[in-house]
Amino acid sequence: VIVTNKQTKEMLICGFIRDLTEEKEIITSHHDLERSTKLNDAIIDASFDAMFLIDDHGIIEKTNKAAVTLFGYNSKEELQGRNIHCICGALYAPHHDRYLEQYRLTRKSHIMGSKREVSARRKDGTEFPCQLGLNVVENNDGTGTMRMVGFVRDLTTEKRAMELAVEAS
């Protein structure tokens, strides 16, 4: 309200209008992204196999409930931010960072895009046989950075069943 004459109490009302279309679109887009992220997280957590997403230096960025359970951790957050060699078996852990560096430099590996049997290490230090499936996830952001996703399946039960079958025969 702007008073133009104090004696006659004449006044003008001044208003401002602002177009909120862009802000509303941003908010809607943000909500859509949140829903999509929650759905993706739920899908990853629904996997029966342990899953790890690591950066090209071996740092765990994302994991799932199956990984927390299989490796004996208390939460995803306890694993995230750690180097992936914390779950590698004793035979592989000391060399893992060097393997990653070599892959970063050459983009050549005999294990990417395949499955192999390796040993893995739980939080308590015990090791177990597992099947590791490993793939590269390239970023399309022009930075040339990559991530790797690994899926781990515990083979302890299968190995024990084979041992019992051999013993029985």
Side-chain angles (χ1 to χ4, degrees), residues 52 60 63 67-69 71-83 86-87 123-124:
F52 293 90
I60 300 168
T63 191
V68 171
T69 302
F71 287 91
Y73 285 85
N74 298 314
S75 68
K76 294 178 197 178
E77 293 75 21
E78 191 177 0
L79 278 163
Q80 291 168 181
R82 297 185 68 179
N83 190 297
C86 72
I87 64 148
K123 182 180 178 182
D124 66 7

Side-chain angles (χ1 to χ4, degrees), residues 42-103:
I43 291 168
I44 290 167
D45 275 339
S47 174
F48 296 111
D49 292 331
M51 188 276 320
F52 293 90
L53 177 69
I54 64 169
D55 69 10
D56 58 354
H57 293 281
I59 303 303
I60 300 168
E61 292 184 346
K62 193 174 208 65
T63 191
N64 65 355
K65 289 178 183 176
V68 171
T69 302
L70 179 61
F71 287 91
Y73 285 85
N74 298 314
S75 68
K76 294 178 197 178
E77 293 75 21
E78 191 177 0
L79 278 163
Q80 291 168 181
R82 297 185 68 179
N83 190 297
I84 193 71
H85 67 245
C86 72
I87 64 148
C88 295
L91 184 65
Y92 306 99
H95 311 289
H96 196 272
D97 288 342
R98 190 171 37 91
Y99 296 151
L100 279 176
E101 182 179 2
Q102 184 69 25
Y103 186 76

Side-chain angles (χ1 to χ4, degrees), residues 105-162:
L105 295 172
T106 65
R107 294 290 205 258
K108 292 180 183 166
S109 170
H110 58 279
I111 65 166
M112 293 295 175
S114 66
K115 294 178 186 177
R116 70 178 347 184
E117 189 176 318
V118 296
S119 64
R121 183 178 55 213
R122 292 185 178 91
K123 182 180 178 182
D124 66 7
T126 59
E127 293 197 16
F128 62 96
C130 68
Q131 182 183 62
L132 170 66
L134 195 58
N135 273 302
V136 173
V137 180
E138 297 282 346
N139 280 355
N140 294 328
D141 61 3
T143 63
T145 60
M146 66 178 170
R147 288 177 172 73
M148 284 142 278
V149 63
F151 294 90
V152 180
R153 177 174 291 153
D154 186 352
L155 296 177
T156 304
T157 303
E158 289 88 340
K159 293 278 188 186
R160 184 66 185 135
M162 286 196 303

